[in-house]
Amino acid sequence: MYINGDWERGSADASFAVLNPADGSVIAHVPDGGAERARAAIDAAADAFPAWRATTAYERAAILMKAHALMLERREKIARTMTEEQGKPLRAANTEVRYAADFLVWFAEEAKRVYGETIPSARPDQRFMVLHQPVGVVAAITPWNYPISMITRKLGPALAAGCTVVLKPAEATPLTAVETFRVFEDAGFPNGVVNLVTARDPAPVGEEFVANPKVRKLTFTGSTAVGKMLAGRAAGNMKRVSCELGGHAPFIVLGDADPVHAAKGLQLVKFLNTGQACISPNRVYVHRDGADAFLETLTGRVAKMKAGSGFEDGVTIGPLVDEAAVAKVEAQVDDAVAKGATVLCGGKRLTGNGLDKGNFYAPTVLDGVTPDMRIYREETFGPVAAVVRFDDGDDILAMANDTHYGLAAYIYSQNLARTMRLLEGLDFGIVGINDINPASAAAPFGGMKDSGLGREGSREGIAEYLETKVAGFSI
Ligand code: ADP
């Protein structure tokens, strides 16, 4: 843990093990911080806030730029830590470190663009001026699936805005957070500006975050259930909240699209991070005309994917995070098959070649998925492409919107008018159009409905950490 500029190692009875999901081995032990250490970190952040907010945007930007450079310099080492505790292939881990660093440079730049405004008054003797100021101490909770980019996507804008922060990373991936904080330490953030509390049980730390009056803002990425619980508790204490939660992305391939191109795109985005992404396509709607060609290309590519440790050459599919994740995927696939879906490839746990010790499930393609199946409604967070064929008479927009989630959606089409109508009608915050990567530090990321509150990245991302103050001058 890193509190007020000091590293705390924890004792033997106050630490917990971090496991490698590819083989179940113990990688390290990290301190098990509870409510008391969270409080100490919040106190440190509160004490550091007055001096930090008084720095100029240029000073804050310079430190963020230094952190950006250090993160890139240490990219390989951080990526190795990530692959070891999270499982993703080393190349993907490297890509994520670069993506994480993007948020540091983007918000270093945005820090200098926190403009206010002047507003004409109806009174001749009055002037209005609007200021945007940091909200104060920010508490951040991040998930294990993107162990570094979810940290910088929150801390980058918070620090740029002039806030001080306390982070609690996911219990499965604290080591990447430790590496990130070494970067912050070496970049020169003053003591207490950035604080890290690791914990085996997130609940007491979460409760401290939502109850402690010194925390002015909670930013959370994780499951919808936990996000709703925390947002509810935070509401009771009138704290600002941003939540980036689950998703159930439709991936729509219209009849005029090139089904082969769409299948290649789906294979890349669906199996990224072994399907453990909130923007991962969960319902693949393919027009009947292109369905056979689509499935042939998709199945051919998926069957060739190689599962294993992310350190092995050629591995494109890593383990799931834990046994519970494998059991959930297995249950959804079994349920779909029992209700009539066809397994075109995969459809089982992976064993043999040492995979038994890890949490591996075969990349899977299901055809004939229907709305009564669990996979049609529940987020999968695993390597399963669930395909639904649709016809001209079907209301594809209503089908795509038939979910309580609203994070990402994808459209494949060459027809501009149909695409535009679909785009405007979709109740999702992020839409990829013939594109599988609609995320960037420069673009707003976030969801509607049960997928969350607020946006991260882009100029909107820093606004989440700013209060508005108006001044009325009598002159
Ligand atoms: P996932 O299903 O992706 O693991 P979670 O919502 O359980 O989603 O976890 C996301 C983050 O939320 C993690 O950092 C986890 O430790 C944290 N978390 C889980 N439960 C709680 C809780 N009761 N209070 C605070 N944080 C929590």
Side-chain angles (χ1 to χ4, degrees):
M1 299 196 284
Y2 185 69
I3 299 175
N4 204 22
D6 286 326
W7 286 99
E8 297 186 7
R9 305 200 142 268
S11 57
D13 59 344
S15 63
F16 64 101
V18 184
L19 305 180
N20 180 335
D23 61 15
S25 61
V26 174
I27 308 164
H29 288 83
V30 298
D32 188 9
E36 189 271 323
R37 295 322 289 148
R39 211 170 304 132
I42 292 166
D43 285 342
D47 290 347
F49 179 59
W52 183 244
R53 75 179 297 181
T55 57
T56 65
Y58 285 79
E59 290 170 285
R60 296 194 295 276
I63 301 179
L64 283 164
M65 287 299 232
K66 181 92 189 288
H68 171 256
L70 286 172
M71 191 169 277
L72 291 180
E73 216 175 283
R74 298 178 192 175
R75 190 168 114 201
E76 189 60 33
K77 177 164 189 288
I78 300 172
R80 295 190 81 81
T81 300
M82 195 191 312
T83 292
E84 205 175 5
E85 68 175 352
Q86 197 272 345
K88 69 183 66 182
L90 197 52
R91 244 179 87 176
N94 255 287
T95 304
E96 192 191 331
V97 179
R98 246 185 301 147
Y99 180 50
D102 282 351
F103 288 102
L104 299 176
V105 72
W106 172 267
F107 286 109
E109 291 162 346
E110 284 302 284
K112 300 173 229 166
R113 298 184 188 105
V114 177
Y115 303 127
E117 64 183 335
T118 57
I119 299 174
S121 168
R123 277 171 38 202
D125 64 342
Q126 189 186 43
R127 301 291 181 270
F128 283 123
M129 181 176 82
V130 177
L131 289 74
H132 296 291
Q133 297 180 302
V135 293
V137 174
V138 171
I141 298 179
T142 50
W144 47 265
N145 60 340
Y146 286 91
I148 192 165
S149 52
M150 296 305 97
I151 295 178
T152 55
R153 197 154 83 175
K154 296 179 185 312
L155 270 51
L159 294 165
C163 297
T164 54
V165 295
V166 180
L167 169 73
K168 190 211 76 62
E171 50 277 22
T173 55
L175 302 174
T176 306
V178 168
E179 294 293 340
T180 307
F181 272 67
R182 288 195 204 289
V183 165
F184 290 153
E185 180 187 30
D186 295 342
F189 286 103
N191 292 347
V193 170
V194 282
N195 303 275
L196 170 68
V197 177
T198 49
R200 182 209 312 259
D201 176 5
V205 176
E207 179 54 27
E208 186 64 30
F209 283 180
V210 292
N212 192 315
K214 292 183 180 172
V215 174
R216 294 315 315 148
K217 157 106 196 182
L218 174 74
T219 172
F220 172 84
T221 296
S223 60
T224 294
V226 174
K228 282 185 173 176
M229 184 278 290
L230 289 171
R233 294 278 305 129
N237 296 308
M238 204 46 74
K239 294 188 195 309
R240 274 106 190 90
V241 175
S242 305
C243 283
E244 202 267 280
L245 308 175
H248 206 280
F251 187 100
I252 305 164
V253 185
L254 295 182
D256 62 77
D258 171 356
V260 170
H261 180 61
K264 289 177 183 169
L266 180 75
Q267 187 260 334
L268 288 171
V269 65
K270 173 69 240 184
F271 297 95
L272 200 65
N273 216 21
T274 316
Q276 303 171 114
C278 47
I279 62 169
S280 191
N282 228 104
R283 289 164 290 145
V284 183
Y285 296 106
V286 187
H287 190 277
R288 200 163 289 281
D289 289 351
D292 286 340
F294 179 89
L295 283 167
E296 192 186 322
T297 302
L298 178 64
T299 310
R301 292 187 155 233
V302 173
K304 283 201 204 107
M305 295 185 80
K306 184 179 165 199
S309 156
F311 288 111
E312 256 174 64
D313 266 354
V315 161
T316 47
I317 197 123
L320 289 162
V321 66
D322 56 23
E323 165 54 32
V326 183
K328 182 180 176 194
V329 172
E330 191 169 44
Q332 283 192 4
V333 172
D334 291 352
D335 168 78
V337 170
K339 289 173 180 158
T342 310
V343 175
L344 297 184
C345 70
K348 57 177 190 306
R349 285 172 187 250
L350 286 174
T351 52
N353 291 333
L355 297 181
D356 312 59
K357 285 189 275 172
N359 309 311
F360 289 96
Y361 195 90
T364 298
V365 179
L366 293 179
D367 190 14
V369 169
T370 51
D372 59 326
M373 297 172 187
R374 282 177 56 189
I375 200 161
Y376 196 92
R377 307 256 163 230
E378 291 174 17
E379 193 174 28
T380 302
F381 243 59
V384 184
V387 178
V388 180
R389 298 176 187 231
F390 72 95
D391 291 298
D392 282 336
D394 291 328
D395 184 347
I396 189 63
L397 177 62
M399 289 161 80
N401 281 338
D402 180 21
T403 170
H404 59 100
Y405 289 116
L407 190 59
Y410 303 85
I411 306 168
Y412 272 73
S413 174
Q414 295 303 319
N415 182 318
L416 183 61
R418 292 195 68 199
T419 302
M420 187 59 85
R421 263 184 241 113
L422 262 182
L423 168 65
E424 289 175 358
L426 284 167
D427 297 329
F428 296 83
I430 303 161
V431 184
I433 294 158
N434 300 317
D435 187 85
I436 53 166
N437 187 18
S440 145
F445 189 106
M448 302 178 182
K449 293 154 83 178
D450 272 0
S451 291
L453 293 171
R455 293 293 180 270
E456 297 190 309
S458 80
R459 64 169 177 235
E460 291 191 36
I462 196 165
E464 301 277 338
Y465 299 95
L466 296 167
E467 282 281 19
T468 296
K469 185 182 283 176
V470 67
F473 291 82
S474 236
I475 57 167

